[in-house]
Structures are given as structure tokens and as C-alpha cells.
Amino acid sequence: MLNLLPHLLLVAFVGIILTFLIFRLRFFSTEGVSGKVFFSLGSFLLLAVTVWEGMKRLPAYNDWFIVEIYPIIDATQFIIFLIGVVMLTVGLALYADFWQSRRSDIETREQKLSVLNNLQRDARGPYQFMQLLDMSVKEIISYMPECSGAVFLLNRNRRQFVLASAVGFSMPEQAALEYFPLERNLVSQSIDVGEPLLGGKFEVIDRSGKIQTSRFNSSLVLPLVSGMDKIGAIILLSEDNRYFSNQEVRYLQPVAEWLAEKIKSARLERELSSAHSESKRNEATKSDLTTRILGISDALNSTDPVVSFCRSLVGLATAKSAHIAGIVNGQLQVHGGSEPLVDLSESYKTALVDAVDRNKPLIINQEATTDDGRQYVAFSTLVYPMKDQQQGKNALLMCRDGAPFKLNDFELKTVEIFAHLGCLVFQGDNTRRQNLTHRKGFQTILNLIQFDPEERFLDTPGFLMEQLKKLLPSGSIGITHIKKNDGSMKAVTGYNVESSRMDSLEIFPGEGVIGMAVNQGEVQFAYGRNAVAKAVETFEPSIRDNLYRMFGERGLPLFIAACPIQCMEQVVGVVTLFLFELSESEQSEWERLLTLAVSLYSMRLTAAELHRLGRAMEGQGIERSNTGTVLNHLNNHLSAIVGNAELAISRPELDGESVEHLRSIVLEAEQAAGYLKDSLGVIPITNEVAETKGTQQTLDDLIQSVLNPYHVSGKLYMIGGHPREVSFKFDSPVFVDIIEKDVRKLAESALEKFAATADEDDRLTVSTYRQGKFVYLDISRHRENFPPVERVAGFGDYKLARDVLRFRPADNYLRHAVDSSCLYAYDRMNQAPSYLSFKFPVRSQTNTKLSESGSTISVLAVDDQTVILDLISAMCQSLNYRVKTATNGRTAIQAVKDSRFDIALIDLAMPEMSGLEVAARIRKIAPNLPIVLVTGWEVDIDTAKLEAIGIEDVLYKPFRIEHLTEKIQSLALSSLHN
């Protein structure tokens, strides 16, 4: 036993040593340690060999096996010993390698954890924003060389990712990342949730929008989020599967958070710097705006406000020049500017016209090409609309050379402010010029009213031209023709016309707009170069050529007015005016002024002729019935002058000088009326002609009968001075509720004027149709290969014909419908309308009496002169009374049958049925209706006859608004209370 003791101690020692090593080296307490299996097996084998060696010392050992076995056992023991030593050595080596790798991992982790410190240290340098992003990605990838990385910034306005930096990608891969979409993918999901996300296969999108599989099998997305601001993301990619883990997330997430704060800080710093710079710019801009606005106040007081205003805008928004322009007759017209607007191509002018017409802010660039073929912007124009319905379509043009306009919101808003100010300057300039025209026009009217009893037109044919040339713009042309016995018109005097041209300007009967003015006895107007060109084309070629030579290099004028001069209702001459400078806002003013001036001059000539006639009739039994109607017309015109002047005086916007002019006009007209009453007071003799209400023919038959005299052959009709192809679409075999002769005159005049303004290759279409209780007459034109205009009833804007005539005096054919309920629609888009449409009520088969109630006073006005009816209507409307007008006795009688009135104003001298007979018939229908007789003659009126009929009072023409007020308040109000 003593021999075994050393072996037992050896076994115990070996066991203790191995156990110590296992626990000391923490083979089983350390997770993932390498070599513990080899070490454990080697230790077990060595311990087993040691134990076996001790067993060999036992006395009985030699008897356990046969002798031949013992050498094999010893050899096996030795081999097991060697295996144990080897395995133990391998285990210790693996253990050492494990800890060496562990130490390397720790060192690598420490290095990775130092990424944030390194970035924070390096970011202290003067790096630009994009350089910081690029440096951050490179710093991260430097510790993961087998990876690639990129930084995306989020642009939600454009809904896309912006690639800010990329490391470790090939050129195609980097190009594909630039098209990375803002859709539901790993990157956008990580940004939305604000948490890092691990992913597998990474997909990219090529330029065609197709999804392509990349070489990367593992991905990590680190969102760049600061508070509620979602800035972008860092994306790391690797070709290895499952390369990234939560371990990378732990040490890289602080880097992403720091970078997000750094980006936000950089943005705030940039915004603060931008705000500071913007504040300085705003201060400078405000100072500049203050200076410019003060300059505008000076411009308003200058001789040319538009030019001064435009000069004050030079430099605004980098503009080199400024202009105010508008569209006149489809062409660009510059009303004024800081400098001449020249050297513009036709295509560029067309683009400007289109931009102004759109009425929206636009920038138009005119490009040019250098000698080497490179294109550049040679001229740029900012077009900003000046929205003013009264002045038409105008715009502020800001121009610069060499570069296009690039305006921010503030600059654009500033231009908008000055566009509004420019609108006020332009309006003020127009008002100033129109006021000058009005004052001159008043003086001209005063000169025309003060007539000479010995005046004859043939003695002084140039008198009217001498008065009008005081009003005409510089460069205007005027020609006076006298009517010869054969109906031709001979030019006798001219304004800005060489006397040698007079003989070559003789007009044949019915030729051109001058012949039309003679035939219709009304002023003919043409505005706009297209309309003027058509008017000039109506003359014979020789006259046309003479006119073009007379116009010279200026080309066609903008405005033509052919003004017929009448004496005793006979046209004795024509004054024709050609104006080259006339804005669209002044057109209607000139039309009214010329119409009034010609009417007053005609009245002046007629009054002088009547004066001579009256002296010739003294002591002679000459029948004067033919002069009665003429004198009544004169009195009506004087009434219109007095009444309209009275209404104008009541307008609050008129200055004192204008009011005094108007009062002078009223005084002169009243004096003229008194002179006529005292010198030529007669009662006109009228003949009664029965007239029925409504048409006796259907509308289709009536229009066909109107066209028959114009028929040449087939579809060819001689209308408007030219042969026209006319198509018919009659579908209205009904009667209309308007006097037949008025329908005839309306259709004939409208066809003549419409055809005269149409192009030579236009086709005319006349159509009738019925919708509901109304029947329509459409007159339209179209080109040969184009379809005709659709039924206007589907889209037309209809208004009462008499209301339209007030603001469109050139549509003189409407005078035949002013006393009816005819509605009218026309083409508002073109200077020469492409269609006219008349809407008539269908004549009812039964007379249904209408009852009206209410406290508003209802007035019936009866007069054969529309000018008097318009005057009474305007006066009554100014007093808030309801007015019904009638131009003849039959219409008035029917109106009393259909409606209730509080007072009736009836003219004494009317054709076909006198005012006395109308009053007598109305008295039978409405015994309690107060009737006032309106007349210009206070002599030879049988008072007893008036009382027998039941006429309450007499209103003498010319009457003023207070006269009318007194009659209505004293009679209508008492009737209303009863």
C-alpha cells in the first residue's frame, strides 16, 4: 500500500491541476469560449492514464491479463497519453486564440465606439454641410471596409430622396441611388417610425423605373430624426448575409442622432443667416419702395403720368425698363414707357399679346444664338396684368436684357402692388384726357346751340369741321362732303388733307360707309383696324387708293366716323373723321359726342331754315302741316338736351366747372325752345292710321319677305354692298308680339350692317327657331369649310334691346326694338361680331289681364320719339318709379288693358293717333287713371276739350326733372293713396 501512495498523490495532483485550469481559465463559465472540448477530453485522458499507471502498481495487476497482453496495454496507454497531451495542447491553443480574437474584437469595438468622438472632433473644422455628410459616411465605413454606405436627405415637397453622400459604390450603383423613390420601402419605413431597421436583400431602381436586384445581401438603415423633424437616413450595405446585428445598431445609433442634430443645427444656422440677410434686403427694399412710391406721387402731377410712372420703376426686380401696354383690336399697343420698346420680333409681339390676353403673370423670354451656336436669353419680359374691367386688358411690362427674370414671392408681390398703382395712374391719365375732351366738348356744344337764323350749310360747309377739329387728336383727318342733286357726295373742305386731293374724293350714291350714312341718316362708326379695313374696302378702288395715299405711312386709322348733316330731315352733307390715336375706353365717348354734335348742328340748320320759312309764310295762306312734325322733333331734341343735362348735373363726381357747363347747356336749350315757341308756335296736323299690336305674318315669312328684294340668284344676295351667300334655317312658323313694321326694319338694318362688316369669303346664315314662350332670330357668319354658329339661345347673354342701345350706340338697328320687349345678344369676343341674336316673345292668342300690386309708383310714358322715352325712363328710375314705355297709341292702350298704372304721360303730337285720342280711349278703360299731356306747344290748346277728355294736367317740353317730379308727386301719389 505504501507503494501506491505516491501514485495516488500523483493522480490527485493531476486532477487538482486540471480542475484548477478549468475553473481558472473559465472554460465553462464563459459563453462561446473555444477549446474547452479538447481541453476537457485531453484532461480526462491524462487523468485516466495517471489512474491506470497507479493501478499497474498493484500486486495483483500481473495476474489480470495474460502475459502477451501487457505489452499491448502499455502501448495503448502510451498512445492515450500522447492523445491526451495533444488534445490538451489543442484545447489550450484554441483557448488562447479565442481570447486573442476577443481582445481584437474589443479593440475593434472600442475603435467603433470612438467614431462619434472622432466625428465630433473633426466637425469642429470649417466644413461645409455636404462635406460633413461625406466625412461622416467615410468615418463609419473606415471601420467596416467590407461595407458600403450612403446618406439620403428627405425632400417632402418634391416627394423624393436626395443622395447627399455615397461611399463604396460603383458608378452605376451610385446613379441608381439617385433615383431612389420615396415609397413604402425600408428607408422610408425607418424614417417614419424613427427607429433603425435591419434588412436583407437591397433593391435599387434604374433610370427606366424598373426594380433591379443589387449585390448587397444585408442592410442597415439608421434614421436621421431630430425631435419631430424627419431629416433623412444613413444606409449601410454589405454583400455578406446577416452582416449587421443589434450590436452595430447600438454603437452607430448615437452617431446618427448626433449627425441629425448637427444637420438640424446647420439648417437653423443657415436659415438664421438667410433671415438676417433677408432682413437687410427687406430694409433696403422698403427704402427703395418708399422712394419709388413717392416718385409715383410726382408722376401723377407730371405732364405725362404714364411715362413718369414707368421711369420710376426702372431697377425694380432688376428691370432695365418698364412699360404699360394693352391689347387694342388684337394688337399690342404701348401706352407709355421709360424708353421706346423697339427691335421686337413679330413672334415675340404675338407672345406678348397672348400673355396680356391671358390676364395672368407670365415671363416671356426672347432667345438668340451666339456665333458658336449657343443659345441664350437676349430679352426677357415680365407681364403682370393690370386688372381693370373699364380700361380693358392692360398689363405692366418689366423688361431686361441678357438674362431671364427670376423673382421670389416678395418681388412678385411688389410688382403686383406697382401693377395696381399703375392701373390707378393709367385711369387717372385717361380721366384727365377725357375731362379735357369733355370740357372742349361742352364748349363745342355751346357753340352749336347758338344758331344763326341766316345760316345755310352750302354757304359755310366747313363750320362743323372747324368746331370738331378743336377736339380731334393730333394727326387726325377730316373731310366734309356736300350732297349733290344726283345723290353723289362732293368733297369741299378738309382737315389735314391737301386741297389737290378734294376732287378725287367724290363719292357715288350709296357708296361705302359715307353712302350708308346718307341712306340711313345716322352716324356710322368703325373702330379697330380690322373694322376700319372692312369699312375702307366698301369704297370703289379709286377712292380706296386715294384714302390709302392720304393715310400715308401711318397706315389705317383706328376709328372712322361718317356723320350725316341734316336740314329739314334731309341729308345735305357728311363729315367724315379718321382718328389714328384713340384708346378703347375713349371710343364710346367719341361716339356719343359726335352723335350729339351732329344732331345739334342739324337742329341748328333746321331751325335757321324754319326761321326763314316762318318769315316767308307771314301774311300768306301757306299750308304749314309739313313743318309741324319737324318742329316737334326739334322740341323733342331740346327736351332731351335739357333732361340729360339735368340728370348729369345730379352726378356727385362732376366738378364745379362741368356743372356750370351743363347748366349753360340747359339755359341755351331752354332759350332756343322759347324762341321756337314764340316765333313758330303751331299745332302739328297728324293723320291717324290704324295700327294693330303684333305681327300679321309669321316670323319665317316676314324674314323671307325682307330678304326677297336682295335676292340675286340661288343662295346669292346683294347685302351690305357686296354679294353674299346666305343660308336659311327657318323653323318658326309663329307670330311674335312686336309690331310688324318694326320687325321688318330691325331685320333689314341688322342684316345690312352685319353683312357690311363681314369678310368677303364669309357665309351668312339666317335661322329662326322657338324655345318655350320665345322665338329667336339668329344672324351669323362663318368660313366656307367651317360649320355655322350653333343656336345662340344655348349660350347667349340676352338683354333688353333698349338697354343695350344706350351703351352701344353703334348698334343703331336696335332703335326699331326699343319700345318692345325684344331681347338682344351679340358676340362680345370680337370687334366684328360673328353672330347677332334677337329674342321675341310669342304673341299670345288670348289677352290675359295682368294685376300688379305694390307701393312702387308705376308710370306709363307714351311718345313716338325714343329720345323722350329714354329721358322720362331715366328720370323716373332716378326717382325709384317703375316705367312702361310705348311709342304709339295702340301699344299704350293695350298696356293699360294689361297692367295697372298710377299715372300716364302722353305726348300730344304723335303720328297715326294723336295724344288726345289716346287719352280719350285710355279714359274709357281706366277712368281713375291720372293723365298728363306732354307737349311743346302751349298755344291753341282747347282747355275745355282737355277737361272733357279728363286730362289732369299738361307738362310742357322742354321739361326739367323737377317739373316731372312735381307732376308725379301731385297726381300719382294721391291716386296711390286712393
Side-chain angles (χ1 to χ4, degrees):
M1 292 295 294
L2 293 175
N3 293 331
L4 293 175
L5 182 59
H7 293 285
L8 292 174
L9 293 174
L10 177 62
V11 172
F13 177 76
V14 172
I16 290 172
I17 293 298
L18 294 175
T19 303
F20 172 77
L21 291 175
I22 289 173
F23 283 98
R24 180 64 183 83
L25 298 179
R26 293 183 296 179
F27 271 109
F28 295 99
S29 62
T30 303
E31 183 180 358
V33 68
S34 301
K36 60 183 178 181
V37 176
F38 287 96
F39 184 84
S40 299
L41 291 176
S43 299
F44 176 77
L45 292 177
L46 290 176
L47 185 61
V49 169
T50 303
V51 172
W52 184 258
E53 185 64 28
M55 293 177 63
K56 288 171 60 177
R57 297 293 185 264
L58 293 175
Y61 175 72
N62 292 328
D63 297 330
W64 289 355
F65 306 102
I66 61 177
V67 177
E68 291 82 4
I69 295 299
Y70 286 102
I72 298 173
I73 293 175
D74 292 338
T76 303
Q77 181 183 355
F78 181 73
I79 292 171
I80 293 173
F81 174 75
L82 292 178
I83 293 173
V85 172
V86 171
M87 293 185 71
L88 187 63
T89 303
V90 171
L92 291 173
L94 290 175
Y95 176 81
D97 290 340
F98 168 76
W99 283 109
Q100 182 65 30
S101 176
R102 187 71 176 268
R103 186 177 297 108
S104 298
D105 290 343
I106 292 173
E107 292 177 354
T108 302
R109 182 178 300 177
E110 290 176 352
Q111 292 175 350
K112 292 180 178 179
L113 291 175
S114 67
V115 171
L116 180 58
N117 294 329
N118 295 338
L119 287 175
Q120 291 175 344
R121 183 186 66 249
D122 295 339
R124 296 171 186 170
Y127 292 107
Q128 297 293 330
F129 177 69
M130 299 304 292
Q131 290 178 330
L132 177 63
L133 297 180
D134 191 56
M135 182 180 65
S136 301
V137 177
K138 290 180 179 178
E139 185 73 21
I140 294 173
I141 298 302
S142 65
Y143 299 103
M144 293 184 291
E146 65 277 13
C147 296
S148 300
V151 177
F152 288 107
L153 297 181
L154 182 61
N155 189 333
R156 291 196 178 274
N157 293 331
R158 298 183 180 179
R159 295 197 55 79
Q160 65 180 15
F161 284 116
V162 178
L163 181 62
S165 178
V167 178
F169 295 96
S170 64
M171 293 297 293
E173 291 173 340
Q174 186 170 340
L177 289 176
E178 293 178 354
Y179 292 90
F180 198 73
L182 183 64
E183 297 176 353
R184 195 63 182 172
N185 50 49
L186 190 66
V187 179
S188 60
Q189 184 179 358
S190 175
I191 295 175
D192 289 339
V193 299
E195 296 291 340
L197 293 180
L198 297 171
K201 197 72 175 177
F202 185 73
E203 296 177 338
V204 296
I205 296 178
D206 59 14
R207 291 180 180 272
S208 63
K210 296 182 180 179
I211 298 177
Q212 301 291 337
T213 303
S214 68
R215 59 186 174 91
F216 302 108
N217 299 313
S218 181
S219 59
L220 169 62
V221 180
L222 300 168
L224 300 176
V225 179
S226 177
M228 299 299 293
D229 295 337
K230 297 179 180 181
I231 301 171
I234 302 174
I235 181 170
L236 301 175
L237 304 173
S238 175
E239 297 184 29
D240 298 337
N241 292 321
R242 299 183 180 273
Y243 179 84
F244 302 103
S245 63
N246 291 328
Q247 185 175 352
E248 281 74 21
V249 172
R250 283 195 297 270
Y251 68 77
L252 288 179
Q253 186 171 2
V255 176
E257 293 174 353
W258 172 83
L259 187 59
E261 294 295 334
K262 194 69 176 178
I263 293 173
K264 183 177 180 180
S265 176
R267 285 182 173 178
L268 291 176
E269 183 178 357
R270 184 175 58 188
E271 292 175 358
L272 181 61
S273 176
S274 176
H276 182 68
S277 301
E278 185 70 19
S279 176
K280 290 185 176 180
R281 286 195 299 270
N282 288 341
E283 290 180 3
T285 302
K286 290 179 181 178
S287 176
D288 179 67
L289 291 179
T290 302
T291 304
R292 294 183 188 279
I293 292 175
L294 292 176
I296 292 173
S297 63
D298 296 334
L300 291 172
N301 298 322
S302 64
T303 56
D304 195 337
V306 174
V307 172
S308 299
F309 169 77
C310 293
R311 288 176 179 172
S312 69
L313 298 186
V314 174
L316 180 66
T318 70
K320 301 298 182 183
S321 64
H323 311 266
I324 292 179
I327 299 177
V328 178
N329 195 27
Q331 296 183 352
L332 185 70
Q333 178 174 335
V334 180
H335 303 300
S338 58
E339 60 184 45
L341 193 62
V342 295
D343 298 332
L344 298 181
S345 64
E346 291 301 324
S347 59
Y348 196 69
K349 290 181 180 178
T350 303
L352 286 176
V353 170
D354 181 66
V356 175
D357 186 61
R358 290 187 183 186
N359 219 24
K360 294 180 180 179
L362 290 173
I363 294 177
I364 300 184
N365 298 323
Q366 179 176 338
E367 295 184 346
T369 305
T370 60
D371 295 336
D372 56 359
R374 182 178 58 86
Q375 289 188 338
Y376 68 99
V377 175
F379 195 76
S380 182
T381 304
L382 168 64
V383 181
Y384 207 98
M386 296 165 43
K387 298 181 179 180
D388 180 21
Q389 300 298 330
Q390 296 180 353
Q391 301 294 337
K393 290 186 177 180
N394 298 297
L396 177 64
L397 307 184
M398 311 288 289
C399 305
R400 61 174 300 179
D401 300 327
F405 275 99
K406 294 181 180 179
L407 282 76
N408 54 34
D409 292 340
F410 179 79
E411 291 174 327
L412 195 61
K413 191 67 176 177
T414 302
V415 175
E416 180 184 6
I417 294 173
F418 280 99
H420 288 303
L421 293 175
C423 185
L424 296 177
V425 172
F426 186 57
Q427 287 179 351
D429 185 49
N430 280 343
T431 301
R432 180 182 64 85
R433 288 187 283 108
Q434 290 179 11
N435 284 341
L436 290 174
T437 302
H438 288 166
R439 287 195 288 270
K440 293 179 181 178
F442 288 143
Q443 187 60 46
T444 300
I445 291 174
L446 292 176
N447 293 336
L448 294 176
I449 290 179
Q450 297 172 356
F451 61 87
D452 182 0
E454 302 298 330
E455 184 174 11
R456 297 177 184 269
F457 174 71
L458 295 179
D459 296 337
T460 56
F463 175 79
L464 181 59
M465 180 62 69
E466 287 296 321
Q467 301 301 319
L468 294 179
K469 72 180 184 181
K470 303 173 185 178
L471 314 177
L472 298 176
S474 60
S476 301
I477 295 175
I479 303 173
T480 301
H481 290 81
I482 61 172
K483 186 177 181 182
K484 299 168 64 176
N485 293 332
D486 60 357
S488 62
M489 305 299 295
K490 179 182 179 181
V492 290
T493 62
Y495 172 63
N496 287 337
V497 181
E498 298 177 4
S499 57
S500 59
R501 295 188 181 274
M502 289 296 145
D503 294 337
S504 61
L505 293 175
E506 184 171 349
I507 307 298
F508 293 111
E511 179 184 354
V513 292
I514 296 178
M516 187 180 300
V518 173
N519 293 338
Q520 297 187 8
E522 297 176 348
V523 183
Q524 302 296 315
F525 298 106
Y527 178 75
R529 287 192 170 85
N530 291 336
V532 169
K534 293 178 181 178
V536 172
E537 291 297 319
T538 60
F539 292 101
E540 293 295 326
S542 59
I543 299 297
R544 190 188 315 155
D545 294 339
N546 288 329
L547 289 176
Y548 280 122
R549 284 194 294 269
M550 186 174 62
F551 298 153
E553 297 180 354
R554 293 177 296 178
L556 289 171
L558 279 174
F559 183 76
I560 290 181
C563 310
I565 301 171
Q566 302 184 53
C567 179
M568 299 290 290
E569 296 193 333
Q570 297 295 322
V571 175
V572 295
V574 175
V575 172
T576 307
L577 302 176
F578 304 90
L579 278 62
F580 294 85
E581 297 180 4
L582 188 68
S583 66
E584 189 173 358
S585 60
E586 295 175 315
Q587 173 194 353
S588 58
E589 294 292 333
W590 274 98
E591 290 181 358
R592 285 191 288 268
L593 182 62
L594 291 175
T595 301
L596 180 58
V598 171
S599 299
L600 291 176
Y601 183 55
S602 297
M603 183 185 70
R604 173 192 181 112
L605 296 176
T606 301
E609 186 66 23
L610 288 174
H611 181 75
R612 288 190 296 272
L613 180 62
R615 288 188 303 178
M617 291 188 299
E618 291 179 359
Q620 303 178 19
I622 300 177
E623 176 61 53
R624 296 182 292 171
S625 62
N626 293 332
T627 65
T629 302
V630 176
L631 293 174
N632 194 39
H633 285 322
L634 278 174
N635 212 22
N636 286 336
H637 285 302
L638 288 171
S639 297
I641 294 172
V642 172
N644 286 309
E646 282 288 313
L647 289 172
I649 289 174
S650 63
R651 294 171 58 181
E653 65 270 18
L654 288 182
D655 55 24
E657 184 179 0
S658 299
V659 171
E660 289 303 319
H661 280 303
L662 288 170
R663 287 175 177 168
S664 299
I665 292 174
V666 172
L667 180 60
E668 291 290 341
E670 289 178 340
Q671 290 177 354
Y675 175 80
L676 290 175
K677 180 180 67 176
D678 295 338
S679 302
L680 305 170
V682 295
I683 299 178
I685 301 175
T686 59
N687 298 322
E688 296 183 11
V689 179
E691 179 183 289
T692 59
K693 183 177 185 294
T695 56
Q696 302 305 307
Q697 287 183 300
T698 65
L699 184 61
D700 292 354
D701 295 336
L702 196 151
I703 300 302
Q704 186 64 64
S705 65
V706 169
L707 286 167
N708 286 337
Y710 298 97
H711 186 247
V712 178
S713 65
K715 291 185 176 182
L716 205 61
Y717 289 78
M718 184 62 70
I719 305 178
H722 294 280
R724 301 285 184 183
E725 184 176 320
V726 183
S727 299
F728 304 100
K729 295 182 179 179
F730 289 155
D731 188 21
S732 178
V734 296
F735 300 92
V736 295
D737 196 12
I738 182 173
I739 299 174
E740 183 174 305
K741 68 174 184 179
D742 292 339
V743 179
R744 289 180 178 275
K745 292 180 179 179
L746 175 65
E748 183 177 358
S749 301
L751 280 167
E752 277 285 349
K753 186 159 187 177
F754 187 80
T757 59
D759 293 335
E760 292 185 1
D761 54 349
D762 281 348
R763 306 294 191 265
L764 302 187
T765 299
V766 180
S767 59
T768 63
Y769 50 92
R770 179 178 179 177
Q771 289 188 6
K773 297 181 179 180
F774 294 93
V775 61
Y776 296 81
L777 168 63
D778 289 355
I779 305 173
S780 61
R781 60 184 176 91
H782 62 93
R783 295 302 175 95
E784 181 178 2
N785 296 324
F786 289 84
V789 177
E790 298 179 358
R791 290 186 173 185
V792 183
F795 60 88
D797 183 12
Y798 288 89
K799 298 183 182 300
L800 279 173
R802 59 172 169 267
D803 294 337
V804 178
L805 185 60
R806 291 172 182 171
F807 64 86
R808 287 181 63 87
D811 294 349
N812 47 36
Y813 44 81
L814 295 178
R815 72 186 190 279
H816 302 295
V818 293
D819 61 340
S820 69
S821 54
C822 172
L823 299 170
Y824 173 62
Y826 60 95
D827 181 8
R828 300 171 180 266
M829 303 302 295
N830 301 297
Q831 184 67 31
S834 61
Y835 67 82
L836 307 177
S837 182
F838 303 91
K839 179 179 178 181
F840 307 102
V842 177
R843 194 174 74 191
S844 176
Q845 299 302 320
T846 59
N847 293 327
T848 305
K849 186 171 183 179
L850 302 177
S851 61
E852 298 178 359
S853 61
S855 59
T856 302
I857 295 177
S858 180
V859 179
L860 173 64
V862 187
D863 200 301
D864 62 319
Q865 296 293 317
T866 57
V867 66
I868 298 300
L869 292 180
D870 289 342
L871 175 63
I872 294 176
S873 297
M875 287 183 171
C876 289
Q877 289 171 4
S878 68
L879 300 171
N880 295 323
Y881 298 156
R882 187 170 58 248
V883 186
K884 172 71 174 179
T885 60
T887 58
N888 54 75
R890 299 293 181 184
T891 305
I893 293 170
Q894 187 63 42
V896 173
K897 291 180 179 179
D898 294 339
S899 306
R900 176 188 173 277
F901 296 96
D902 299 302
I903 186 172
L905 306 174
I906 304 175
D907 184 38
L908 173 62
M910 292 189 296
E912 303 176 359
M913 185 182 295
S914 69
L916 295 176
E917 183 174 351
V918 173
R921 295 191 182 186
I922 288 178
R923 179 61 64 206
K924 295 179 180 179
I925 302 172
N928 298 323
L929 175 63
I931 299 176
V932 176
L933 193 67
V934 182
T935 179
W937 314 100
E938 58 179 337
V939 295
D940 298 333
I941 297 179
D942 191 346
T943 306
K945 188 174 183 180
L946 297 181
E947 294 177 355
I949 296 175
I951 295 176
E952 303 284 346
D953 206 341
V954 178
L955 181 64
Y956 295 104
K957 294 185 289 188
F959 55 85
R960 304 176 72 170
I961 191 169
E962 59 265 24
H963 301 157
L964 181 66
T965 306
E966 181 183 355
K967 299 300 182 186
I968 292 179
Q969 289 180 345
S970 62
L971 296 176
L973 290 179
S974 60
S975 174
L976 185 64
H977 291 308
N978 294 334

